Amino acid sequence: MGHFNLLHVSRQTKLPIGSLRIRLLCPETYLAALAKTQGQKMQSKILTGNLTFKSLRPPDLSNCSKGELCEYFENSYDLNESLFTSLNDDSVFYKCPDRLRLPLIFYFCHTAVVYVNKLMLAGLIKERVNLEFETMFETGVDEMSWDDTENYRMGGSYKWPSLSSVVEYRRNVRNLVLKVIHDTPLDLPVTMESPWWAILMGIEHERIHLETSSVLIRQLPVEMVTKPKGWVYAPFKCGGRVEENPLISVETQDVTFGKPKDFPSYGWDNEYGEFSTRVPAFEASKFMITNGEYLEFVESGGYEDEKFWTEEGWKWKVYRQSKHPVFWVCNHGCKGGCGADLSKYSPCHFPNNGTNGVINGSLTNGHSREVINGGEKRTYMYRAMFDVLPLPADWPAEVNYHQARAFCAWKGFGFRLLTEAERNVIKGKKLETTQGIDGDIIYQKKPKANINLHYGSSTPVNMYPANELGYHDVFGNAWEWAEDHFNGLNGYSSHWYYDDFSSPCFDGRHNLILGGSWVSTGDEASKFARFAFRRHFIQHAGFRIARSLQLADKINVPARMVKDEVFVLGVGVEEKEIPDADEVEYKWVPTTNYHYSYDTEDSLYGIIELEFGFRDTFPHNVAQHCLSLQKKYQCGSKSALWLGSGAGRGPLELTNVFQNVLGVDYAARFIDAAQKLKNGKALSYKAGNGEQKTAVMSGDYQPDRAIFKQLTWIPNEICDHDMTIVTFMERTMNAKAWLARLWEVTVKSGLVVIVSETKEWNKDNLAQYFGNNLLFKEAQDLKYTSKKGEETLQITAWARR
């Protein structure tokens, strides 16, 4: 007889079975006890530290001790592991909560891998912990579109390591970081030039993934998770219901934002720099838009009306068959977003009253209402992190950009989202940079905001007091979507420890989210935080509505939009959709990602002409010189890596000697051309004199030996090369980020060849980047022909020690 049959005998009775007496419990008590047992088992299995959901404040980097840094690191590590104790058994680690995301086991291990990778770059460790793991768990996936195909690592055939081996890896990395903190001299203040920046980068990266993993776990079938001990949901309402959400007006004013480089806390590259602008008068909602307000939009039929959606948004809605926000639950079996073996799972069914049903006695003031949706009556509930609850009407509605924009259109003419400049205005002026760390809300001992995991959920939008301008939740509760495309501020530069943290997203396809959420901790909860996602992404993010107060035929909205046409490999250049283009004038600015601004059609024509337009071309002469170096120094011929592969001629010329040649470039147009060239296709281009020409690969080469990849950094999977050639030093955004890894991707006794068009990258300058890892062998000038005539390259050769 199963448990539930036994339980139905009596809600509380005693049955003698021989000398054994069994006390039977009511179903709710039994399931709660079972959940507690499951949680305890998972804790003992995966925790390498302590169970905690209490987040510490970041250290003051101008005045901190090793003890404080150690405590902050361990707290970050503990928080992330503690979140995963909510999974009911080992098998859940291998599930894909999002069809375009990797299984959870990846994210559980990934954060530990990043510590190792950054400590290696900073020179704080000399040996890796486990190269296989540090390759497999290094890179996630960033879906280019809502209809992308699944990554090969998402299917059931991919062999992930056991959970126990990942836990052991995490334990080893924890001990390693603690040793590095203990052994590394601490010089204050800690700045981005300090090797300690790599440790803090690992810590804050882990805190980012605490939030992103929480979004993924929240999308799992509710039966697969259990609320851990110490996780507390907020009350459903604060006082009376939020019946109104008035607009508060702000006068025209100037605003300046950006993080000063000397501010004594860790920051991501996109936070630094400065931007100043005049913000025309506008009005914005006092509160973030609530579930109750969004319910009115759904109830009115607006969610199903194409006229309220942008073209991109409607395509997403139709493809996903979306009927309501992702974290709302109806009882009509709506299409879910999980992947792999969960692809047919629908979150839209009401659970039985059990451990993941409506069991929390304090949460009785939710909103559960029948709504006509497409001719159907629907009752909506709410998926919290680990439970399905009554829909909390006064909590912010969590939606993606498309869903937020549709609501704005439904509200009426002129309504839109806030811009970044406007949102910096409504934050008020109480927190000024001149106040040091006390001027940043994450450092406050008792912040009046739902941040830093004070609650394990959103809170009513009226729970925390308004600021001096009358706005609530300008920090925390839920992120807020902005109209702006993600871009660097004036003076933006990347950090060589993580060159591509932000810049790949400066493409006009990512929109800003600002303000932080209830699970934002550390830098994420800082007043300087700027993050971004593609417009179809789901996060713990909502919005508030805004409207300009100008009287003009075309309204000036201070939203920064990326004007560059970014070429996407396999897609091309997508036409930009401009919301309300007839009524609104946006601020169109260049991308601050130099790689995007360089990757133009003119640049492609220029590189093809450089490679094929002359007798003694750049890549031909370089390739022949490298082949002579290979013979001279008798390095192996198994594999060659060419960084800055351009249109592909150089790497293809190596294929008669090297068995495998990998050509890498950051420019998508160049890789697209190289792949065509490899496949025997001709390349059409316009020469410098305006003449239309065709380039084709001729002579002896073996195209099957060559592979071309677009990469924005050197991952661990790019390794074990007998010769590494670099030819794009003058056109990289952060050359140091590429130079720092050359020794590690080249085999011992292999050669590294640096090709420079200027005298900047000479022996002495390069030696400071290579240290003791590479030994200088020789330098030589090399002539080639370009449209300018005969030019000279400087080539230095280095041997891996």
Side-chain angles (χ1 to χ4, degrees), residues 569 645-646 663-665 667-675 708-710:
L569 197 61
S645 56
V664 169
D665 212 298
R669 282 184 172 87
F670 292 5
I671 295 297
D672 182 62
Q675 290 172 345
F708 294 95
K709 288 187 176 183
Q710 182 192 16

Side-chain angles (χ1 to χ4, degrees), residues 96-103 141 143 145-157 319 336-344:
C96 290
D98 190 304
R99 62 178 292 270
L100 295 176
R101 281 286 175 265
L102 294 172
V141 292
E143 50 178 306
S145 179
W146 32 263
D147 58 354
D148 275 351
T149 56
E150 294 187 6
N151 182 278
Y152 72 98
R153 287 178 292 174
M154 297 174 185
S157 61
Y319 178 82
C338 297
D341 62 348
L342 293 177
S343 59
K344 295 183 179 179

Side-chain angles (χ1 to χ4, degrees), residues 114-129:
V114 168
Y115 283 105
V116 176
N117 288 341
K118 302 313 175 189
L119 295 180
M120 284 288 292
L121 277 175
L124 292 174
I125 58 175
K126 302 302 180 185
E127 295 181 358
R128 294 188 167 277
V129 177

Side-chain angles (χ1 to χ4, degrees), residues 202-455:
I203 292 172
E204 293 298 344
H205 172 264
E206 182 132 44
R207 288 176 176 267
I208 288 174
H209 276 278
L210 171 68
E211 177 148 2
T212 54
S213 292
S214 73
V215 175
L216 291 174
I217 290 172
R218 192 176 174 190
Q219 294 176 72
L220 279 171
V222 72
E223 299 83 6
M224 292 184 176
V225 296
T226 301
K227 186 170 68 171
K229 180 181 179 181
W231 192 278
V232 179
Y233 296 137
F236 270 29
K237 66 178 183 178
C238 181
R241 275 285 312 278
V242 178
E243 301 289 352
E244 296 182 352
N245 191 357
L247 298 174
I248 299 174
S249 61
V250 178
E251 295 179 353
T252 299
Q253 59 189 274
D254 296 326
V255 66
T256 298
F257 51 91
K259 185 171 186 173
K261 283 201 170 182
D262 60 355
F263 194 88
S265 68
Y266 179 85
W268 295 103
D269 54 10
N270 69 78
E271 299 169 24
Y272 295 99
E274 188 175 274
F275 184 74
S276 298
T277 189
R278 167 144 288 207
V279 179
F282 68 97
E283 56 186 1
S285 57
K286 178 184 181 72
F287 304 112
M288 295 183 70
I289 298 302
T290 64
N291 283 317
E293 289 176 278
Y294 207 87
L295 185 65
E296 294 176 12
F297 171 48
V298 174
E299 182 176 14
S300 72
Y303 196 90
E304 297 298 322
D305 195 333
E306 184 178 357
K307 71 183 179 186
F308 296 126
W309 295 77
T310 63
E311 182 179 352
E312 178 187 349
W314 184 254
K315 287 180 180 178
W316 167 83
K317 182 195 178 301
V318 170
Y319 178 82
R320 282 296 305 270
Q321 299 175 35
S322 174
K323 302 294 183 182
H324 50 74
V326 166
F327 296 127
W328 287 15
V329 179
C330 70
N331 207 24
H332 286 249
C334 297
K335 180 181 178 181
C338 297
D341 62 348
L342 293 177
S343 59
K344 295 183 179 179
Y345 166 77
S346 170
C348 282
H349 60 276
F350 296 156
N352 296 321
N353 283 348
T355 53
N356 299 100
V358 187
I359 62 167
N360 193 326
S362 65
L363 301 182
T364 58
N365 296 310
H367 190 78
S368 156
R369 176 176 172 184
E370 285 193 349
V371 175
I372 303 297
N373 189 321
E376 300 174 294
K377 282 191 173 182
R378 299 197 176 199
T379 299
Y380 291 99
M381 298 184 74
Y382 177 83
R383 172 62 188 268
M385 272 298 302
F386 312 110
D387 299 279
V388 174
L389 308 170
L391 184 66
D394 292 347
W395 291 10
E398 294 151 307
V399 296
N400 65 21
Y401 172 89
H402 299 313
Q403 294 167 316
R405 221 28 180 92
F407 180 93
C408 292
W410 172 76
K411 285 296 287 185
F413 178 79
F415 281 104
R416 54 175 173 80
L417 306 178
L418 282 168
T419 69
E420 182 178 20
E422 289 169 340
R423 205 176 183 292
N424 274 277
V425 168
I426 74 166
K427 286 193 298 189
K429 297 184 178 180
K430 281 192 174 181
L431 299 178
E432 296 290 346
T433 56
T434 54
Q435 295 177 269
I437 63 167
D438 292 335
D440 195 347
I441 191 166
I442 189 57
Y443 285 94
Q444 295 178 359
K445 291 182 179 179
K446 293 184 178 181
K448 295 178 179 179
N450 186 16
I451 58 172
N452 217 27
L453 267 177
H454 183 70
Y455 288 106

Side-chain angles (χ1 to χ4, degrees), residues 501-537:
F501 176 80
S502 302
S503 58
C505 301
F506 299 161
D507 59 358
R509 302 176 73 182
H510 291 73
N511 273 58
L512 274 165
I513 59 171
L514 301 165
S517 78
W518 53 270
V519 71
S520 297
T521 69
D523 173 77
E524 273 200 308
S526 165
K527 68 176 182 179
F528 300 111
R530 306 172 73 241
F531 286 85
F533 284 95
R534 298 190 189 278
R535 291 181 275 276
H536 60 278
F537 262 56

Side-chain angles (χ1 to χ4, degrees), residues 641-692:
L641 169 64
W642 191 309
L643 300 173
S645 56
R649 178 173 179 175
L652 286 170
E653 289 200 13
L654 298 180
T655 57
N656 277 332
V657 173
F658 287 94
Q659 298 172 38
N660 299 284
V661 180
L662 174 60
V664 169
D665 212 298
Y666 60 74
R669 282 184 172 87
F670 292 5
I671 295 297
D672 182 62
Q675 290 172 345
K676 291 176 180 175
L677 201 65
K678 172 191 168 178
N679 294 329
K681 297 180 180 179
L683 302 177
S684 298
Y685 69 99
K686 185 184 293 185
N689 60 7
E691 184 180 351
Q692 198 72 31

